[in-house]
Structure formats: C-alpha cells, structure tokens
Amino acid sequence: MFFLAMSLSIFSASNWYSVYANIPGVTLSPFADQQIGAAILWVCGDFWAVPALIIVIKRIVDQEGSLSSFLDKALKREPAPSPRSFRRQRV
C-alpha cells in the first residue's frame, strides 16, 4: 500500500489511468485526481495498516518466541545457531 501510494504520487509524472481523462463535467485534471487519491491512500491507510501490522508481528513473537524463529519456520530453513552454541564449540 505504501509503495503504491508513493508510486502514484511522488514517482509519477503523468496519470496512470487514461479513462479518467474522458469523464464529462469533471474539472479536476486526471493527474491531480490521482495525486489526491494517493494522498488519501497513504494517510488514511496508515490508520489501519500500521496498527494491524504491529498486532500481527506481536502475535507472531508471542507464539514463536521471536520473529526470526517464525521466518525460519515459514521458510522451512534451519534455525540460526545461538551465541551459546558457538561458545560450546570453541571450548
């Protein structure tokens, strides 16, 4: 969502959807309309997306113990060795 809003507002020099250029009775340019829509997506989307992301990450950490443990499990890879295991190997 953040990348889409940034792409529509900051990184774009023209409107993406030419269909808006042909609507009769609209005095706002399609590019300005696109930028207003991107601003709404960017600002209003933060009100629900960021708290939801924080809640999801907190639940993952509570269940798995850490975010890296979850990623290891989700990606089906071996967990990273702990610092204690390195100390045991050297001694």
Side-chain angles (χ1 to χ4, degrees), residues 3-49:
F3 296 117
L4 178 61
M6 287 176 18
S7 299
L8 286 169
S9 60
I10 297 173
F11 303 124
S12 183
S14 64
N15 61 324
W16 286 15
Y17 305 105
S18 60
V19 69
Y20 293 126
N22 301 323
I23 299 175
V26 177
T27 57
L28 191 62
S29 73
F31 183 64
D33 181 58
Q34 173 180 303
Q35 288 189 321
I36 291 170
I40 292 169
L41 176 67
W42 200 339
V43 174
C44 296
D46 289 348
F47 288 123
W48 66 268

Side-chain angles (χ1 to χ4, degrees), residues 51-62:
L53 182 64
I54 291 169
I55 290 170
V56 167
I57 290 173
K58 184 177 178 345
R59 286 184 181 176
I60 288 171
V61 169
D62 288 344

